[in-house]
Amino acid sequence: MLYRHIIATAIAVCSGISGMRASVTAQSPDTLHLPLDSCIAIALSDNPTIKVADLEIKRLDYSKKEVLSGLLPSIAFGATYNRTLAKQTMYMNMGSRSEGESSSASSSTMRNGIKVGLDNSYSMGFSASMPLIAPQLWKSLKLSDSQILESVEKARNSRIELVNQVKNAYYTLLLARESHSVIEESYRMARFTAELYEKKHALGAASKYDVLRTQVAVKNVEPELTQALIAIRQASLQLQILMGIDTNVPIAPVATMSEYEKDMYADVIGIDRNIESNPSLRLLDIQTRQMRDALTVKKMAWYPTLALTANYNWTSMSNGSPLKNFRWNPYSMVGLTLSLPLFEGGGRYSSIKQAEIQVREMGLQQENLARSINMQVDLAIDNINLNVKQISSCSESVIQAETAHSIVKQSFEIGAASYLDLRDAELALTQSRLAYNQSIYNYLVARADLELLLGNADITRYTNAR
C-alpha cells in the first residue's frame, strides 16, 4: 500500500508537469501546422530558385523575338554634314591645237587646274532593308525554340529538385520532432523513477545511493533532449529557407511517422520504373536536338541570301554660311542584294565536321546515361524494399518492447523487479521507438530520391494545395 501511494503521488506530479508543457505548446498560435503538400506548394510559389528559372524562360522568349526581328524590315534615318576645307582641283586636257591658237586663258587653266565643289554639303534620309531569302536565319528560329525548350526543362528540373529537397527537409523535421517526443518520454520516465526514489528515501524505504543513481539517469537524458531540440531547430530552419518564408515563424508538421506506414505497401507495389522522365536524360535529349539544329544552321551558311534595299534621301550643297542658301534635292532607289558564299579557306567545312562529331558524342552520352540511370533505379528499389522489411521488423520490436516494459513496470510496482530491470526495459523501449522512426524516415527519403531519379513528381497536384 505504501508503494502504491508513493507511485500515485509521483504520477500526479509528472502529470502536472506534462499538463504545463502541453499548455505552453497550445499557447503558441504563431506556429504554422502544415501538411507536406502545403509546404511544397509554398516553396514552388516563393522559392527564389524557381523564380529565377521562370525569369530565364522569359529572357529566352525575348531572345527568340530578337532573332525573329531579323526577318522583318529594318528602317533607319541618317543625316550628314560636310564642310569643305580645301576644294578638289581638276585638270583638263584641252586637246592639240594649231600653232598660234593657244591663248593665255586656256594655258593658265591647264597649268593651275579648276577648283570644284562647294563649301557645304548636306545629306539626310531614310534607308530600309529586308531579307527575302535567309535560310540560316530561318533555321536560327528553330534553334531559339530549342533553347527555350531547354530552359523550360531546366525550370521543371528545378521544381522536381525543390520538391525532393522540401520532402527531405519535412521528413527530417518530422523525425526530429518524433525523436524528441521519444526522448522526452524517456526523460519523464526517468524523472518519475527519480522522484519515486526520493519519496521512498524520505520514508526510509530506499537508500541514498538509489536516489543518486536515479538522478544521474535523469541527468544523462537531458543532453539527448537538448540535442533533439537543436535538431528540430535546424530542420525547421532548413524547411523555412526552402519554402522562402520568414525564419522567425515556427513550422510544425501535421503528420506522424506511423501514418506513412499505412500507405507504404501500396506505394511499393505501384512503383513505376520508367526512366523517360528522368531530368538528366530529358535535358540531354534536348541538348542533342539543339546540337543538331546548330549543325543545320552551320550548313545553311552555304546557301545564298537575298535582301531588298531601299533609300530615300535629300541632298543640298551651298557656299558661304552653312545656315543659308539651302537647295534640297530628293533622290531615291530600290535594289536587291544577292550574296553567295564561294570559298572561305575551308573554315566552314571544318566547323561543320566538328558539329557532326559533337552530335555523335551526345548520342553516346545518352546511351551511357540511360544505362547508368537504370542501374541506379534498380539499386533504389532494392533499398526501398530493404527499408520496408526493416520497418516491419522495427514495428514488431516496438510492440515487444512496450509489452516487456509494461510487465517490468508492473513487477517493479509490487517490488518483484529491480530498478536496473526497469531502466533496461525503458532504454530498450526508447531505442526500439527511435529505430522505428529512423526506419520510416529512411524509407521516405529513399522513396523521395527514387521519385527524383525517375523525374515523375506530379507538380500540378501542389498547385491548389497551398
Side-chain angles (χ1 to χ4, degrees):
M1 295 295 294
L2 178 61
Y3 285 161
R4 292 182 179 178
H5 174 72
I6 296 173
I7 292 172
T9 304
I11 291 174
V13 173
C14 293
S15 299
I17 295 173
S18 301
M20 292 174 61
R21 290 180 178 175
S23 177
V24 172
T25 303
Q27 293 174 0
S28 300
D30 294 335
T31 301
L32 293 177
H33 297 273
L34 297 174
L36 176 59
D37 288 357
S38 295
C39 292
I40 296 176
I42 294 173
L44 292 174
S45 175
D46 299 337
N47 188 276
T49 303
I50 303 302
K51 293 181 180 180
V52 170
D54 292 338
L55 289 175
E56 183 66 14
I57 296 176
K58 291 183 179 180
R59 185 189 70 82
L60 289 176
D61 185 51
Y62 283 114
S63 177
K64 179 185 176 181
K65 292 179 180 178
E66 181 183 3
V67 176
L68 183 62
S69 65
L71 297 175
L72 303 177
S74 61
I75 302 174
F77 174 81
T80 60
Y81 165 74
N82 293 313
R83 176 73 177 183
T84 303
L85 300 180
K87 298 179 181 179
Q88 289 184 340
T89 302
M90 180 182 296
Y91 296 92
M92 301 180 63
N93 186 0
M94 304 302 293
S96 61
R97 288 184 295 274
S98 302
E99 186 177 349
E101 291 182 359
S102 62
S103 65
S104 60
S106 61
S107 62
S108 176
T109 300
M110 294 177 60
R111 191 168 50 248
N112 299 324
I114 301 173
K115 300 294 184 180
V116 296
L118 299 178
D119 295 337
N120 306 303
S121 62
Y122 308 86
S123 176
M124 65 178 182
F126 297 91
S127 62
S129 64
M130 184 180 70
L132 299 179
I133 300 176
Q136 193 173 22
L137 184 58
W138 297 339
K139 199 63 181 180
S140 297
L141 292 175
K142 188 174 181 180
L143 183 60
S144 298
D145 291 336
S146 299
Q147 292 174 345
I148 295 176
L149 184 61
E150 180 184 9
S151 181
V152 171
E153 182 61 26
K154 287 182 178 179
R156 172 183 173 272
N157 294 350
S158 298
R159 284 175 165 79
I160 292 176
E161 291 177 358
L162 182 61
V163 170
N164 176 261
Q165 292 172 0
V166 172
K167 283 186 175 182
N168 289 341
Y170 189 89
Y171 297 149
T172 301
L173 178 59
L174 185 59
L175 175 64
R177 294 178 66 90
E178 296 267 348
S179 299
H180 176 264
S181 298
V182 172
I183 296 174
E184 192 175 29
E185 177 66 23
S186 176
Y187 179 74
R188 285 197 295 266
M189 289 188 295
R191 285 197 58 185
F192 169 79
T193 306
E195 292 172 358
L196 177 63
Y197 271 95
E198 287 179 2
K199 294 184 180 296
K200 290 172 64 177
H201 176 67
L203 297 174
S207 65
K208 183 63 175 180
Y209 171 75
D210 293 331
V211 175
L212 293 175
R213 183 172 57 178
T214 55
Q215 289 178 347
V216 170
V218 173
K219 296 297 181 181
N220 289 338
V221 180
E222 288 180 353
E224 299 179 5
L225 196 60
T226 303
Q227 292 178 359
L229 291 173
I230 294 174
I232 291 175
R233 179 58 178 166
Q234 292 176 343
S236 179
L237 287 174
Q238 179 66 24
L239 182 58
Q240 289 166 339
I241 292 173
L242 291 172
M243 292 172 61
I245 64 176
D246 190 356
T247 56
N248 294 324
V249 180
I251 296 178
V254 298
T256 60
M257 284 293 186
S258 58
E259 292 179 3
Y260 288 99
E261 186 181 4
K262 300 176 183 178
D263 302 327
M264 177 181 63
Y265 297 100
D267 290 341
V268 173
I269 294 175
I271 289 179
D272 182 11
R273 54 169 299 116
N274 187 359
I275 66 172
E276 291 182 357
S277 298
N278 176 265
S280 299
L281 198 60
R282 285 169 59 100
L283 187 59
L284 188 60
D285 180 66
I286 293 174
Q287 290 173 347
T288 301
R289 283 185 286 171
Q290 187 175 348
M291 191 67 66
R292 293 194 185 100
D293 293 338
L295 174 60
T296 306
V297 170
K298 290 180 180 294
K299 292 181 178 179
M300 290 292 180
W302 292 97
Y303 289 32
T305 59
L306 182 65
L308 173 66
T309 60
N311 290 281
Y312 193 91
N313 294 275
W314 293 268
T315 62
S316 176
M317 301 179 71
S318 65
N319 279 323
S321 173
L323 303 178
K324 295 180 179 180
N325 304 320
F326 295 110
R327 291 177 297 181
W328 294 105
N329 298 294
Y331 77 93
S332 59
M333 68 174 185
V334 176
L336 294 174
T337 302
L338 177 66
S339 177
L340 178 62
L342 297 178
F343 182 70
E344 291 186 1
R348 187 179 290 113
Y349 174 80
S350 299
S351 177
I352 291 175
K353 289 301 179 182
Q354 291 180 48
E356 291 176 347
I357 293 175
Q358 288 179 331
V359 170
R360 290 198 295 268
E361 289 175 350
M362 296 288 279
L364 295 174
Q365 290 178 11
Q366 279 185 287
E367 295 178 4
N368 184 55
L369 180 61
R371 287 194 294 265
S372 176
I373 292 174
N374 280 318
M375 179 195 68
Q376 295 177 41
V377 170
D378 292 338
L379 293 177
I381 293 177
D382 291 342
N383 188 28
I384 290 175
N385 292 330
L386 291 176
N387 287 326
V388 170
K389 294 180 181 179
Q390 185 179 7
I391 292 173
S392 178
S393 175
C394 291
S395 179
E396 295 177 1
S397 176
V398 170
I399 296 175
Q400 294 173 353
E402 289 176 345
T403 304
H405 178 263
S406 178
I407 295 172
V408 172
K409 184 178 179 181
Q410 293 176 0
S411 300
F412 178 74
E413 291 175 356
I414 62 176
S418 65
Y419 167 72
L420 292 177
D421 295 333
L422 177 62
R423 190 56 186 162
D424 289 342
E426 290 175 352
L427 291 176
L429 178 59
T430 300
Q431 292 175 356
S432 63
R433 286 174 175 173
L434 290 176
Y436 171 73
N437 292 333
Q438 184 66 45
S439 63
I440 294 181
Y441 171 79
N442 293 338
Y443 162 76
L444 293 175
V445 171
R447 189 71 179 86
D449 291 343
L450 177 62
E451 183 182 64
L452 174 64
L453 183 62
L454 296 176
N456 56 4
D458 188 6
I459 305 298
T460 57
R461 64 172 289 190
Y462 305 114
T463 303
N464 299 321
R466 185 172 179 175

